[in-house]
Amino acid sequence: MLDQKVADLLNDQINKEMYSAYLYLDFANFYAYKGLNGYANWYNIQAKEEMDHAVGILQYLQDNDYQVTLQAIDKPDKELTHLDDPLKYGLEHEKYVTSLIHIIYDAAYEVKDYRTMKFLDWYVSEQGEEEKMHLIY
Ligand code: OFO
């Protein structure tokens, strides 16, 4: 049985991952409007990956008999003007998501929940990749 705090943090993370997907759809929409279909496609792919991340956590919680509660997804709030704004905001956002994953990892570590730590290892590595993908300077 999962520790309540760890499980609740994972439940919240489903929403954060879905917000990431929504944010990246917004970035794709911005590039599509600018006629940059390759960039739009790349962010559409990122959005799908984020949804997979959400479903991965949902599945983990279901596998551990936790009753998941899905929350409302916020509206993407970034004002996109310049062509590199999505990359800039994307990097900022991925750093934020990394910090959230680390908070869950810390909570799991505190209660010696090694299984959840192992589950989160993939997310820790993935965050490193995603931060790197947004580096443009
Ligand atoms: Fe942006 O990657 Fe999910 O966790």
Side-chain angles (χ1 to χ4, degrees):
M1 184 139 179
L2 288 172
D3 170 77
Q4 192 66 41
K5 182 180 172 189
V6 171
D8 290 348
L9 285 169
L10 284 167
N11 193 144
D12 287 349
Q13 191 61 29
I14 295 171
N15 182 267
K16 305 294 183 186
E17 300 292 341
M18 291 302 289
Y19 175 79
S20 299
Y22 219 35
L23 182 67
Y24 291 166
L25 281 181
D26 196 42
F27 291 174
N29 185 43
F30 170 73
Y31 281 129
Y33 181 71
K34 296 284 183 187
L36 294 170
N37 294 329
Y39 284 86
N41 184 52
W42 190 76
Y43 269 113
N44 278 326
I45 292 168
Q46 301 313 307
K48 284 181 191 147
E49 283 189 12
E50 296 299 346
M51 282 186 254
D52 286 346
H53 299 170
V55 172
I57 297 170
L58 176 68
Q59 187 69 57
Y60 182 75
L61 287 171
Q62 288 171 344
D63 289 347
N64 283 279
D65 298 323
Y66 175 87
Q67 190 171 5
V68 171
T69 305
L70 297 176
Q71 309 288 350
I73 304 165
D74 288 340
K75 181 182 176 191
D77 62 347
K78 305 296 180 208
E79 197 165 321
L80 305 172
T81 310
H82 302 288
L83 291 178
D84 63 351
D85 281 348
L87 292 163
K88 187 175 69 185
Y89 290 129
L91 177 60
E92 186 181 290
H93 181 70
E94 288 301 340
K95 285 183 174 170
Y96 167 64
V97 173
T98 298
S99 74
L100 296 175
I101 298 287
H102 289 177
I103 287 170
I104 309 172
Y105 205 100
D106 282 347
Y109 178 74
E110 231 166 73
V111 295
K112 294 184 169 39
D113 179 356
Y114 301 115
R115 194 154 38 97
T116 296
M117 288 162 66
K118 189 165 166 40
F119 168 73
L120 287 173
D121 279 341
W122 182 88
Y123 286 82
V124 171
S125 305
E126 177 69 5
Q127 283 310 119
E129 289 296 311
E130 294 194 338
E131 284 184 26
K132 205 168 123 190
M133 282 192 307
H134 280 90
L135 287 175
I136 53 169
Y137 301 107

